[in-house]
Amino acid sequence: MTTAQRVQSPYLLTTGTDRRAVSVDVTADASATVVEMTVHGGWSQPLGSQVSASLRLCLLAPTVAIIIDLHDVDDVHGQSLRFWMTAVRAARLGPTPVQLVLCLPPRAMLGYQLRHADRSQPLLFNTMPRARIAIAGRLAHTHRRFQVRLAPRPAAVRTARDLVAQACHTWQLPQLGHDASLIMSELAANAVEHARTDAVATVLADGPRLHLAVRDGDTRYPRLNPLAAAGRATPLDERGRGLQLVHALAAAWGAMPARSGKVVWATVSTDSPS
């Protein structure tokens, strides 16, 4: 987990199955604040590496809770105990604490070991529905957010920009309004132009930061010119202008899978480049 600092924005989280038939599937909600992760295969070092890579990118996003389904993991003797205890601790002690939730079969040895561990335990549930209900209850009154549905029409860009203005006014963050509005406009415009599906725009407040997100129904990720990602000047043609602007203004940004699509997110803070 300590290698997270070496990953550079944009943080594009992808999933896949390797030749050992092990995989880690990730699905985010509309704001990327709650992420579900499903782990498949026999527990091994390669599978642990896949989980670690996905967790690193989730912890760099505006994620506040990660629900991990371990029902399809073959770990009869609980060999992954140390891995999960380390992951839980890293999530809790990060710059923005993240709640790690594990779903296990009732009689799983790993669950028994976690419940009797001397150190702080993760939240444990037998089923994903129970975990979702518990997390929804915990987050219902602790996070400030504005959210709006967007139709795949040009007017959606103005609607998304107005959402940012409303949020900055309500939360008294006028210093973030300009950059946040520009970024949200680009995220919404990309959804209208490229996804051409209904979308959901979200603005979240996290202390001196704003998290912006747009979920649409297109699984294709945004593509940033490699020169722009490296901080080098590139021609601003019409198709590349938006993401270069997001990359220049956001403290961090990325994308991850969502149900039947993706969510693209960005963070703006008082320390963001301008």
Side-chain angles (χ1 to χ4, degrees):
M1 306 291 287
T2 58
T3 60
Q5 291 81 1
R6 295 198 294 269
V7 183
Q8 292 186 346
S9 182
Y11 307 120
L12 305 179
L13 198 161
T14 59
T15 61
T17 302
D18 72 5
R19 58 185 177 84
R20 303 176 185 83
V22 299
S23 66
V24 180
D25 300 322
V26 177
T27 304
D29 66 359
S31 60
T33 54
V34 178
V35 175
E36 295 184 7
M37 187 179 299
T38 305
V39 185
H40 307 271
W43 186 257
S44 63
Q45 190 277 329
L47 181 55
S49 296
Q50 283 194 44
V51 175
S52 292
S54 296
L55 284 174
R56 281 196 294 270
L57 292 177
C58 290
L59 295 178
L60 292 165
T63 307
V64 297
I66 304 173
I67 306 174
I68 305 178
D69 187 354
L70 298 176
H71 281 79
D72 198 28
V73 174
D74 182 7
D75 186 14
V76 176
H77 302 293
Q79 296 177 339
S80 61
L81 174 65
R82 180 175 296 180
F83 174 91
W84 293 114
M85 293 300 296
T86 300
V88 169
R89 184 168 60 253
R92 288 179 177 172
L93 298 179
T96 302
V98 175
Q99 179 75 65
L100 217 60
V101 182
L102 303 182
C103 292
L104 294 151
R107 298 178 182 275
M109 175 58 71
L110 176 61
Y112 174 84
Q113 293 174 329
L114 288 168
R115 283 189 290 270
H116 292 82
D118 293 334
R119 291 166 289 180
S120 57
Q121 306 169 359
L123 287 177
L124 299 176
F125 294 92
N126 294 336
T127 68
M128 291 293 285
R130 290 185 178 180
R132 292 176 187 130
I133 292 171
I135 289 300
R138 285 171 174 254
L139 300 182
H141 305 293
T142 58
H143 287 81
R144 300 175 293 170
R145 76 173 60 199
F146 283 94
Q147 196 168 67
V148 66
R149 291 190 175 275
L150 305 174
R153 295 192 293 268
V157 177
R158 176 62 181 271
T159 301
R161 190 165 57 244
D162 289 346
L163 187 73
V164 172
Q166 181 184 8
C168 289
H169 175 75
T170 302
W171 300 326
Q172 298 182 359
L173 293 171
Q175 69 276 22
L176 299 181
H178 180 265
D179 288 355
S181 293
L182 289 174
I183 291 171
M184 180 61 89
S185 294
E186 297 301 339
L187 298 185
N190 281 341
V192 170
E193 180 181 355
H194 301 296
R196 300 180 182 178
T197 67
D198 289 340
V200 176
T202 306
V203 184
L204 292 163
D206 179 15
R209 296 176 294 182
L210 284 180
H211 295 305
L212 317 170
V214 173
R215 186 197 68 191
D216 60 48
D218 187 350
T219 58
R220 295 173 298 174
Y221 276 12
R223 298 181 62 183
L224 179 67
N225 188 305
L227 295 179
R232 297 168 60 184
T234 60
L236 289 177
D237 59 32
E238 288 303 315
R239 296 188 62 82
R241 184 185 301 273
L243 288 181
Q244 292 185 38
L245 182 64
V246 171
H247 191 72
L249 295 179
W253 71 281
M256 61 177 65
R259 287 183 177 83
S260 301
K262 67 176 178 300
V263 55
V264 184
W265 59 269
T267 297
V268 183
S269 73
T270 52
D271 297 326
S272 298
S274 58

